[in-house]
Structure formats: structure tokens, C-alpha cells
Amino acid sequence: MTPVAAARERILVIEDEPDIREVVEFNLRREGFRVSGAETAEEGLEKVQSEFPDAILLDIMLPGMSGLELCALLKSDPDLRAIPVIMVTAKDDAEDVIAGLEAGADDYISKPFSPRVLIARVKAVVRRGTWDAEQLRGDRLLADGVVIDSSSHRVTVEGQDVEVTATEFRLLHYLATNRGRVFTRNHLLTRVMGESATLVDRNIDVHVGAIRRKLGKSRSLLETVRGVGYRFRDSPSPSQS
Ligand code: CA
């Protein structure tokens, strides 16, 4: 793969293990990214504030402040929260993944990871902003034959109106506007359903199931992330990118 012209974004790698950091930095540079590294969360925070990177790869297990603490700190700062954070978690540790997402991480990658997966994740979070903007036309979100219109609260699939409940609309709209981001059930429950959710409303799986049935052929837009939660697919087709 040749580095594309747009891939001049700066990526900050916060990782205390020098070997891993070196490999990650090498692979990112080879793709044309500008890269800086930090060994601790504290050093990372200074670099975030001085360099304002386009994305951050953040290890969870760090000496001193943990990756989770730093992530929560960044996501509570209005000036920094827009910077995508990819959490680096231990292999198959769903608890770490959930904790990372609840701290506000935009995505995660599990150790050990292949350079290919690493580059794909970084490109996805960096590109997401652009892709979202292209897909957003006024109040209408478009994706694979599905139109989600927030002004009329209507959903159409291949031009056909689809009846959705108010709860289903909120859930679908929230996932679609945050395309590619994985959300835990708990996050969706508190952020989408809110405090007023009745007992009937509280089963996210039931709502997602109902939305999928209504989306028909486009059902694969709503992806289940095993052991974690749900996301709206972030590329036009799963076979691409
Ligand atoms: Ca570590």
C-alpha cells in the first residue's frame, strides 16, 4: 500500500513497553502518518495539549495514571474530547473493552494485533469525520439504501417508509450519527433512553432486533460486537476497506 496524500495526520502512541511502541510507530510511519510517542499517561497528556494529535492510541496498563483515567480525563475536556482515542486492551478482555468504551474511547484494539488491523483502525477513526460529513445531507442520514430523517422522524429503506417506534428511531439515529463507534448496552440505555425509560424500554437487544427486522436487507448496518454492545457499520460495505 502506498501512503495516500491525506495520511499526514499526527498519531500519538501512549505505550510503556518500548518494543510494542517501536513496532506501532514504525508501522504508522510507513503508512505516512506523523507519529509521536509517550511512555506514560502524564507525558501523553502533555503531548496531547501541545501537539493536538488527530488520533491517540492509548494502552490501558500504564505506570502511574492508567489509560482509562487518561481517556476519561480527555473526554471530559471540551477542547480535547473530539480527538479520537483507540484503547489498547488485553486480548479477549471484554471487561477492559467495556471499561474503555465507558471512559469514552472511540474504538479499541486487542493485544496482540497485526499491523494491518492497527492501520485499518487508525485510518477508520481518522477518516470517520470526513465520511460522516459526506453521508449527512441536512437532516438526513444516508447509508446503504437507508435514509434516517431527523426532521420528520421518518426512516425509509430503498425508498419505502418503515414504521419505527420513537424509541427505535432514537436508538437508530444515535448509532447512525456515531457511525463506527461501539456502544455498550449500558451507554445506550442511559444516553438514548434516558432516565425516563420505562421497564419495557430497558432491553436494548429487543429494540435492536426490531430495528433489524424493519431494515430488511440493510439489517447488517447494525452490528453486534460480541460481549460488548452494538455499532452502526462505518463503511459502505463490510467487504470494503
Ligand atoms: Ca502497558
Side-chain angles (χ1 to χ4, degrees):
M1 246 182 157
T2 48
V4 288
R8 298 301 302 166
E9 292 90 353
R10 182 181 291 279
I11 314 297
L12 175 60
V13 181
I14 307 175
E15 167 68 69
D16 59 321
E17 287 165 69
D19 293 356
I20 299 179
R21 201 175 58 244
E22 239 167 73
V23 171
V24 169
E25 290 187 11
F26 171 80
N27 281 286
L28 289 169
R29 284 206 181 90
R30 199 172 55 175
E31 284 294 314
F33 289 107
R34 292 176 296 160
V35 185
S36 43
E39 273 179 58
T40 63
E42 289 82 357
E43 187 194 346
L45 179 59
E46 277 177 29
K47 291 204 170 174
V48 174
Q49 287 161 337
S50 60
E51 299 175 356
F52 207 76
D54 295 287
I56 301 165
L57 271 167
L58 178 55
D59 189 28
I60 286 196
M61 296 289 287
L62 294 166
M65 191 196 294
S66 79
L68 289 173
E69 288 171 280
L70 176 58
C71 183
L73 195 68
L74 295 171
K75 294 302 180 182
S76 65
D77 186 325
D79 295 331
L80 304 174
R81 66 157 56 112
I83 303 173
V85 173
I86 302 175
M87 214 78 214
V88 179
T89 66
K91 187 174 186 283
D92 291 335
D93 193 335
E95 271 180 40
D96 269 5
V97 171
I98 290 173
L101 294 172
E102 300 209 319
D106 298 82
D107 202 351
Y108 66 91
I109 185 168
S110 300
K111 283 180 184 174
F113 43 79
S114 75
R116 235 182 103 239
V117 171
L118 167 78
I119 297 297
R121 293 292 167 80
V122 170
K123 284 187 174 170
V125 297
V126 166
R127 164 191 82 200
R128 199 165 288 158
T130 328
W131 206 76
D132 280 352
E134 282 170 15
Q135 297 300 307
L136 192 63
R137 302 267 185 278
D139 296 327
R140 286 149 45 104
L141 278 156
L142 322 171
D144 271 18
V146 176
V147 177
I148 303 162
D149 190 324
S150 59
S151 60
S152 62
H153 272 228
R154 274 175 61 201
V155 177
T156 62
V157 178
E158 310 282 340
Q160 303 289 311
D161 265 317
V162 172
E163 293 258 335
V164 289
T165 66
T167 300
E168 288 162 9
F169 185 88
R170 276 207 305 279
L171 189 56
L172 179 61
H173 187 261
Y174 187 81
L175 288 165
T177 46
N178 293 285
R179 187 186 307 268
R181 259 185 88 162
V182 186
F183 294 104
T184 63
R185 289 174 178 80
N186 190 38
H187 176 101
L188 293 171
L189 196 56
T190 51
R191 295 293 291 277
V192 182
M193 307 297 173
E195 299 290 308
S196 62
T198 66
L199 220 56
V200 184
D201 276 337
R202 302 194 79 86
N203 194 331
I204 295 290
D205 299 337
V206 171
H207 298 301
V208 170
I211 297 169
R212 280 198 182 124
R213 280 194 299 280
K214 293 172 181 182
L215 291 183
K217 271 197 321 199
S218 305
R219 62 173 58 230
S220 68
L221 282 170
L222 286 189
E223 293 180 333
T224 302
V225 181
R226 263 188 76 194
V228 179
Y230 294 104
R231 79 174 149 219
F232 197 92
R233 212 172 66 215
D234 78 335
S235 59
S237 146
S239 59
Q240 293 174 12
S241 91

